[in-house]
Amino acid sequence: MPLEIIRADISKVKADAIVNSANKNPICGGGAEYHIYKAAGYDDLLKAREQVGPLKVAQVAVTPAFALDAKYIIHTVGPKWNGGDSGESLALADCYRGALDKAQELGCQSIAFPLISSGVFKFPKDSALRIALSAIGEFLQTNEMNVMLVVFDRKAFEVSEELSSDIQAFIDDNYVQDKYGDVNRYVSNRRRNLQVEQEERFYALEAPQCDIPDEEPHRILDREEFVEEDGAADECVRLCVKSAEKSLESLEDILAKPGETFCNKLFRLIHEKNQDDVEVYKRANLDRKHFSKIRSNVNYRPTKKTALALAIALRLNMDETADLLARAELALSPSNRGDLIVMYFIERQKYDIWEINSMLFKFGQPTLGA
C-alpha cells in the first residue's frame, strides 16, 4: 500500500528512512524526537546532528539511523503555528516534499513520517493531517514509494470535527445490527433484471402436450383400447424426455454465461472512462506490482478493501460499486461501519482516497488499498 496510516511509536517502525520532526538547533527535543534519539542511540545521533548544524524551517538533512530499524534519519524542521497567516501551511507542505525528494534521492523504497508540527509547535492537527495527505498524495501520483504516516494513538489523530460528526450521524442512521437483514441495499438494477430474466427464461419452458384423452380417466381399458392408448403414452414419454433435455440445455446455457469476471469488468470500466492503468492504481492507493498482478490474472480475486479502492479510483456510483464488488462475490453491508463510511463518501461523490482512509482510521476501520 503506497500510503498507510498506522498507530505506532515511530522509533519502532521499520522503513528505509525515518523522518524526525527536528528542532532548528542540534538539540534533542521532546515527543517523537526524544523517542527517535533514545532508540537510535542518544549520543551517536546527537553527535551526527551536531555535525549537520542548525537548520531552517522546511530544510532537510540526513544522518545515519544507527540502532533504528532503518537506513537513514531525515531531519526536517516544521513551522510553528502562528495563526495561519504566516505561510505555515506552505512551509509544512515543503517539509513533506523535501523529505520525500531526499528519500528518493537516497534510493529509499519506504519512508515513515510523524505528523509534523502537530505537537509542541501547535499546528492544528486536522490541518496538519490534510496538508500531509495532500503533499504525500501529490508525490505518489508521479513516484513509487511506500509511505507510512505514523501517529502515536488515535486520540492524537484529529480530523475535521464537522465531517467526523456528519459521518457518525450517517452511521447511526444506517447501521443495521441484524447481520441476516438486508445486507446489500445497493444491488444494481441491472443485476436484478438479469436474475429475473434468467428465471423467466427457465420457467417459460413449455410442458409437453400429450394427446391422451382425459375422459373417464379411471376406466379400465380393454386390450385393443390399451394398445391404441399405449402409443399415445409412448409419444407422451418421448415429449417429456425431449422437454427435460431442452430444460437441461437451457440451464447449461445459463450456467455457461455467468457474466464478466472482476478483472474483465474492471478493465472495461477503465477503458470506458478513458483512464489509464497508472492513473487508476495510484488513485486506488495500490502499487505497480500489485496492479500488475491484477492485470495478468483474469481470475484474480481481490480483497474487499482493494475492490473498494478501485471503485473509488474509478469514481463509481453506488450501483456501479455494488456490481463491481459482486463480480468478486463481495458486497457492501449496512452492518459494517467501514462499509458505511465508504458509502457515505460515494453517495456524496467524494472520491479522495486519502480523506476516506483518514476517516476509516479515525473510526478504527481498515483503510483502503492493497
Side-chain angles (χ1 to χ4, degrees):
M1 187 182 299
L3 174 56
E4 186 176 8
I5 305 170
I6 63 174
R7 181 168 62 91
D9 178 347
I10 194 169
S11 68
K12 297 179 181 178
V13 171
K14 181 178 181 179
D16 289 342
I18 300 291
V19 176
N20 174 39
S21 185
N23 279 274
K24 289 183 178 181
N25 296 312
I27 58 174
C28 174
E33 185 174 31
Y34 172 76
H35 288 284
I36 289 173
Y37 270 78
K38 182 179 178 181
Y42 189 94
D43 292 337
D44 289 336
L45 182 53
L46 182 59
K47 183 177 180 180
R49 178 67 180 85
E50 287 173 344
Q51 291 175 351
V52 171
L55 295 172
K56 297 179 181 179
V57 172
Q59 187 178 358
V60 298
V62 180
T63 65
F66 299 106
L68 294 181
D69 196 359
K71 298 177 182 177
Y72 310 100
I73 298 174
I74 298 177
H75 305 265
T76 185
V77 179
K80 291 183 179 180
W81 180 252
N82 192 31
D85 297 323
S86 303
E88 300 98 319
S89 295
L90 291 175
L92 182 57
D94 284 342
C95 289
Y96 287 97
R97 295 190 188 104
L100 288 164
D101 288 343
K102 179 59 70 174
Q104 187 175 50
E105 179 185 321
L106 294 168
C108 296
Q109 296 183 346
S110 59
I111 184 171
F113 283 95
L115 198 56
I116 299 172
S117 288
S118 64
V120 295
F121 287 177
K122 300 187 182 302
F123 212 104
K125 289 184 172 63
D126 59 341
S127 297
L129 173 64
R130 176 179 51 79
I131 292 167
L133 294 176
S134 176
I136 295 169
E138 179 183 328
F139 174 84
L140 291 175
Q141 289 302 306
T142 54
N143 299 279
E144 299 285 338
M145 191 177 296
N146 291 324
V147 182
M148 289 169 280
L149 188 59
V150 185
V151 296
F152 189 73
D153 58 39
R154 287 193 174 88
K155 292 180 180 178
F157 186 86
E158 294 183 4
V159 294
S160 165
E161 186 62 33
E162 181 180 356
L163 179 58
S164 181
S165 298
D166 198 21
I167 289 175
Q168 184 61 61
F170 181 85
I171 292 174
D172 292 342
D173 289 343
N174 292 277
Y175 184 70
V176 178
Q177 290 187 343
D178 180 9
K179 66 179 179 180
Y180 299 107
D182 182 15
V183 173
N184 188 359
R185 299 185 297 118
Y186 292 102
V187 176
S188 69
N189 290 331
R190 194 193 66 76
R191 289 179 63 242
R192 286 199 299 268
N193 292 340
L194 178 60
Q195 181 180 2
V196 170
E197 179 184 340
Q198 290 175 336
E199 290 176 353
E200 288 177 347
R201 284 170 53 198
F202 183 75
Y203 290 112
L205 298 172
E206 295 184 359
Q209 300 298 317
C210 301
D211 296 327
I212 298 178
D214 57 0
E215 298 89 354
E216 305 179 71
H218 302 295
R219 182 172 62 84
I220 298 176
L221 301 177
D222 59 30
R223 185 177 183 282
E224 290 182 358
E225 288 178 316
F226 179 79
V227 171
E228 181 180 350
E229 297 295 348
D230 190 44
D234 287 343
E235 177 64 13
C236 183
V237 170
R238 186 184 67 79
L239 290 173
C240 286
V241 171
K242 183 177 180 180
S243 177
E245 290 175 346
K246 182 179 179 182
S247 299
L248 183 60
E249 289 172 359
S250 299
L251 180 58
E252 288 175 347
D253 288 343
I254 292 172
L255 295 177
K257 301 175 182 178
E260 290 179 297
T261 65
F262 175 85
C263 286
N264 288 340
K265 179 70 173 182
L266 171 66
F267 292 112
R268 183 166 65 82
L269 286 169
I270 291 174
H271 175 73
E272 289 176 352
K273 293 178 179 291
N274 296 317
Q275 299 181 22
D276 60 54
D277 288 2
V278 176
E279 182 182 6
V280 170
Y281 78 68
K282 286 186 176 292
R283 282 209 308 264
N285 197 27
L286 302 177
D287 58 35
R288 180 174 54 192
K289 183 178 179 180
H290 188 104
F291 196 80
S292 295
K293 183 169 68 173
I294 299 174
R295 169 64 82 175
S296 62
N297 182 5
V298 69
N299 295 314
Y300 171 82
R301 297 289 293 276
T303 62
K304 183 188 278 190
K305 66 178 185 177
T306 297
L308 283 174
L310 289 164
I312 294 297
L314 289 165
R315 299 183 173 91
L316 303 184
N317 62 32
M318 283 305 315
D319 283 344
E320 291 170 329
T321 298
D323 185 60
L324 182 63
L325 290 175
R327 306 290 172 172
E329 299 182 15
L330 300 169
L332 289 166
S333 169
S335 62
N336 182 297
R337 285 180 168 82
D339 286 358
L340 286 171
I341 292 170
V342 175
M343 290 156 62
Y344 170 91
F345 282 96
I346 293 176
E347 284 188 354
R348 287 155 181 77
Q349 299 182 3
K350 299 173 71 174
Y351 296 104
D352 184 340
I353 198 163
W354 318 124
E355 183 179 24
I356 295 171
N357 276 346
S358 68
M359 282 297 169
L360 288 168
F361 182 85
K362 175 68 176 179
F363 283 87
Q365 301 299 313
T367 54
L368 303 184

